[in-house]
Amino acid sequence: MSTRKTLGVLAAAVVLALPVAGGAQSPGNSADAPIAWGGDDVEITPGGFSLIGRAEITQGQNRLRANRVNLTTSNGTNGVERVEAVGEVYFVTPTQTMRGDRAVYDLNTDELVVTGEVILAQGENVVRGGRLVYNVRTETGRMAGAPTAAGNRVQGVFYPEGND
């Protein structure tokens, strides 16, 4: 796969993947914003490529960081089918953050699955669990519990508006 084709695949994947975990992109963060990426190493294969070591992808004010980000293409074309972030996954937008051990976005099903110690935060509001499944198209999701001293539970803290 040529470097030019690889960059095109990465750009397509990031445009589709970055808005996912944070919902719609924030104002001023258009899909046309430049995409920056980096990693300690880049590995290119016929089925896609990987950013390895301190992998980071940014577009506008959205940022995805992980130890490794793998992008799988469809039969060597520019069509990205799957984006996988592994190890200390961190996604941030101006209003939300998501952390987990692993995140997989399947572009064919529009489904994002985050596993491990999943933490979602918006302002002071926080939800914790072990597995998040979120459908980008329908904007619906489900959080499953993580093992705790009290059993497998989803836990959260919400602050009503106007209460400081």
Side-chain angles (χ1 to χ4, degrees):
M1 181 181 285
S2 71
T3 302
R4 184 174 176 185
K5 190 172 187 180
T6 299
L7 295 178
V9 171
L10 179 62
V14 174
V15 167
L16 293 172
L18 281 181
V20 172
Q25 288 190 347
S26 59
N29 245 358
S30 73
D32 295 330
I35 298 165
W37 58 271
D40 293 337
D41 292 301
V42 176
E43 180 179 282
I44 301 169
T45 65
F49 67 97
S50 301
L51 300 173
I52 304 166
R54 298 182 300 163
E56 183 171 55
I57 302 171
T58 60
Q59 182 179 27
Q61 297 178 44
N62 296 337
R63 180 178 6 161
L64 172 66
R65 288 190 327 212
N67 294 338
R68 180 180 183 118
V69 177
N70 303 313
L71 294 103
T72 305
T73 60
S74 175
N75 298 322
T77 68
N78 283 341
V80 174
E81 290 186 344
R82 176 182 160 132
V83 178
E84 176 185 24
V86 181
E88 299 179 36
V89 177
Y90 179 69
F91 180 82
V92 64
T93 72
T95 60
Q96 300 172 327
T97 62
M98 176 203 70
R99 292 180 186 234
D101 298 328
R102 183 172 184 254
V104 177
Y105 179 43
D106 184 329
L107 280 74
N108 294 316
T109 63
D110 284 333
E111 189 172 85
L112 172 70
V113 178
V114 183
T115 55
E117 294 182 36
V118 181
I119 302 170
L120 298 174
Q122 184 172 12
E124 293 183 85
N125 302 320
V126 178
V127 177
R128 296 174 184 258
R131 178 181 168 91
L132 168 69
V133 178
Y134 180 76
N135 186 293
V136 177
R137 187 179 332 113
T138 63
E139 296 182 352
T140 58
R142 179 182 176 144
M143 177 81 83
T148 66
N152 288 339
R153 300 185 48 88
V154 176
Q155 299 177 334
V157 176
F158 297 100
Y159 293 86
E161 287 187 41
N163 292 342
D164 294 325

